[in-house]
Amino acid sequence: MKKIAILGITGSIGISTIEVVRQHPNEFEIVLASSNNNYSKLLEFAVEFNIPELVITNSALKQKIIDIPNNSNLAFGEDELQRKIESVDCDIILNAISGSAGLRSSITTISKGTDLALANKESLVMAGYKMMEMLENSNTKLIPVDSEHSAILQAIGNSTPDEIRSIIITASGGPFRDLPLNEFENITLEDTLKHPTWDMGAKITIDSATMMNKGLEVIEAHWLFHKSYDDIKAVIHPQSIIHSFVEFVDGSIVAQLSFPTMQIPILYALTHPNHIKSTINRTNILDLPNLNFNELSIERYPLFDIALNAGIQGGILPTVLNASNEAAIDLFLDRKICFTYISRIVEKQINKFHNFQDPSIEEIININKNVYIQTKQNYKNLI
Ligand code: NDP
Ligand code: MG
């Protein structure tokens, strides 16, 4: 039995992980789980899986909860989550918290030396350099959960970075890949939250519509696979069947494919480097649709280019990118700005920020918070 912790158990990735655990009752035991607001679902899972350690990061909910399962210890707050990560006896921690709130848990896991199955790509975007530095002196194995990075990991196998010429990351193109550009002004929140191939949390669904998600994934791939930005490309692949390609120096290209379900990369992250028997996710090749690939248009997806440039410049800029994007998304969810203002706000915040290299984790956390607050307060001057 592998002992696992699931941070963000109530979200889209968390619930897909629950499905994987349900299908493999003899493989995994959940020893720690967290949610932020959704305490009822967390407690439901605690009873179903007999989870001993629970954390609700939103401390304000402390007064509301009266019915704690008999066999569970429940704690509140972000600091308490870090303490539980440090003290829990477990084999692998799956970080499925959304956004910059996931960074501290990634850092604590690496400091502790426990394996980290990482869905929270924002950790690597903000602190990739520091995380790589820490991993050199840690027993942690970092395994991506993101479907594209899971595909790349599988395609690479035992090859070394100098055997790889390039990485080609696929993107569905989101709900607006065929929308005439002159109609972008009229995009609604409801249109944006309807992803054509994946069912995900609100933030990543909006990031997929703007293609910020692909920019974040290129930065994620840069850190995970030690390739320069020149050697990482993104292409539109509307069917989301091929999850990425790796091109080798001898001209061979290896791809990984399956029908789009996050259960496959989640299961692989929990069992890496082995593939274990599973009946849930078979893909019949004869059922596959025709596969297409198109160039990613910067005119349609300006945020992809903005994200890529922030990644190339490095330092604190990817944190500014991520924080201003999170603020712009929250403004869009609150219906305070329209869809096209998301990229405008992020671009303006990045352009006025004075970059510096090698920020500490404390600087990253503080600047992330300040840029988020400042973007939300000042958005009218940024559009
Ligand atoms: P969701 O919004 O569906 O879920 C987020 C989870 O994080 C919930 O459990 C939520 O708790 C918790 N959470 C939210 N805010 C905080 C906070 N401030 N502190 C602690 N916990 C918090 O997101 P997804 O599952 O879609 O995405 C999670 C991560 O995985 C993201 O980084 C995303 O980019 C990545 N990812 C997701 C994919 C997907 O298919 N969904 C695919 C690839 C990567 P509560 O429910 O209580 O609010
Ligand atoms: Mg992805």
Side-chain angles (χ1 to χ4, degrees):
M1 281 285 236
K2 215 169 201 180
K3 292 182 185 155
I4 63 172
I6 309 175
L7 315 181
I9 197 168
T10 48
S12 160
I13 291 286
I15 290 170
S16 293
T17 309
I18 284 293
E19 205 40 56
V20 167
V21 173
R22 277 198 190 110
Q23 301 289 337
H24 302 88
N26 300 323
E27 300 287 340
F28 307 114
E29 177 190 354
I30 308 172
V31 293
L32 167 65
S34 80
S35 73
N36 190 42
N37 285 316
N38 192 346
Y39 60 87
S40 53
K41 197 151 220 80
L42 176 75
L43 298 182
E44 218 177 273
F45 290 148
V47 172
E48 181 181 348
F49 295 96
N50 212 359
I51 308 174
E53 300 294 339
L54 306 171
V55 182
I56 293 172
T57 41
N58 182 355
S59 314
L61 293 172
K62 204 168 183 171
Q63 330 308 336
K64 278 201 172 179
I65 294 154
I66 36 172
D67 229 2
I68 303 168
N70 284 343
N71 300 328
S72 303
N73 297 311
L74 175 61
F76 291 86
E78 167 76 33
D79 290 345
E80 208 47 49
L81 176 60
Q82 305 313 313
R83 275 194 277 279
K84 293 264 189 201
I85 293 171
E86 276 162 11
S87 62
V88 73
D89 171 20
C90 95
D91 300 304
I92 186 160
I93 294 178
L94 190 143
N95 185 352
I97 293 172
S98 64
S100 53
L103 174 62
R104 276 183 72 194
S105 298
S106 295
I107 297 295
T108 306
T109 304
I110 300 174
S111 303
K112 176 183 161 112
T114 301
D115 288 349
L116 174 60
L118 188 64
N120 181 265
K121 63 191 83 180
E122 293 87 351
S123 298
L124 272 176
V125 168
M126 296 163 75
Y129 181 77
K130 277 278 171 263
M131 283 171 67
M132 292 302 126
E133 213 174 55
M134 289 174 72
L135 281 166
E136 276 177 26
N137 306 308
S138 161
N139 290 326
T140 297
K141 181 171 76 169
L142 175 61
I143 313 128
V145 169
D146 220 343
S147 55
E148 295 77 1
H149 304 75
S150 178
I152 296 162
L153 184 70
Q154 293 175 60
I156 288 178
N158 292 326
S159 307
T160 55
D162 52 334
E163 291 174 74
I164 295 156
R165 183 179 289 155
S166 76
I167 288 170
I168 301 146
I169 300 181
T170 55
S172 73
F176 310 131
R177 63 175 174 245
D178 299 319
L179 190 75
L181 289 179
N182 61 8
E183 289 178 29
F184 268 56
E185 296 288 317
N186 307 323
I187 288 172
T188 65
L189 177 59
E190 288 69 24
D191 298 334
T192 312
L193 291 176
K194 267 185 243 143
H195 195 277
T197 45
W198 295 98
D199 182 14
M200 309 178 286
K203 190 219 169 227
I204 185 173
T205 304
I206 297 171
D207 280 342
S208 300
T210 60
M211 208 57 87
M212 168 61 96
N213 185 48
K214 224 34 65 176
L216 300 180
E217 288 183 358
V218 169
I219 300 175
E220 187 185 4
H222 165 76
W223 292 116
L224 284 171
F225 304 111
H226 312 290
K227 294 305 289 179
S228 85
Y229 285 100
D230 286 344
D231 298 331
I232 307 172
K233 303 274 174 271
V235 296
I236 302 285
H237 167 45
Q239 297 82 15
S240 300
I241 297 291
I242 292 192
H243 301 302
S244 281
F245 302 90
V246 172
E247 181 196 10
F248 291 89
V249 284
D250 59 5
S252 176
I253 297 178
V254 178
Q256 184 265 352
L257 59 150
S258 70
F259 277 113
T261 161
M262 285 310 294
Q263 290 178 23
I264 293 175
I266 290 169
L267 178 61
Y268 185 62
L270 295 176
T271 61
H272 177 272
N274 305 111
H275 289 272
I276 69 161
K277 193 172 174 186
S278 178
T279 49
I280 40 179
N281 299 310
R282 293 203 71 175
T283 298
N284 186 342
I285 296 291
L286 297 176
D287 292 340
L288 290 181
N290 289 334
L291 306 181
N292 308 103
F293 304 94
N294 308 308
E295 200 156 334
L296 191 155
S297 146
I298 301 305
E299 206 185 355
R300 182 172 293 274
Y301 303 114
L303 262 183
F304 174 77
D305 205 36
I306 293 167
L308 187 63
N309 281 322
I312 291 168
Q313 290 181 62
I316 197 69
L317 273 200
T319 297
V320 177
L321 170 87
N322 190 62
S324 53
N325 179 56
E326 284 187 16
I329 285 178
D330 286 345
L331 289 162
F332 180 57
L333 283 167
D334 290 343
R335 298 179 195 274
K336 290 193 170 137
I337 60 166
C338 64
F339 181 80
T340 49
Y341 288 174
I342 300 175
S343 61
R344 206 181 293 185
I345 287 175
V346 174
E347 186 169 29
K348 287 205 174 145
Q349 288 296 57
I350 289 218
N351 285 346
K352 70 179 198 200
F353 210 89
H354 184 70
N355 195 18
F356 65 94
Q357 294 299 319
D358 200 14
S360 66
I361 295 294
E362 291 68 34
E363 283 171 321
I364 291 170
I365 288 173
N366 288 335
I367 289 173
N368 174 66
K369 191 170 160 198
N370 293 343
V371 171
Y372 178 87
I373 293 171
Q374 199 267 340
T375 308
K376 278 195 89 173
Q377 285 172 347
N378 202 28
Y379 74 93
K380 286 190 179 146
N381 298 322
L382 297 166
I383 53 183

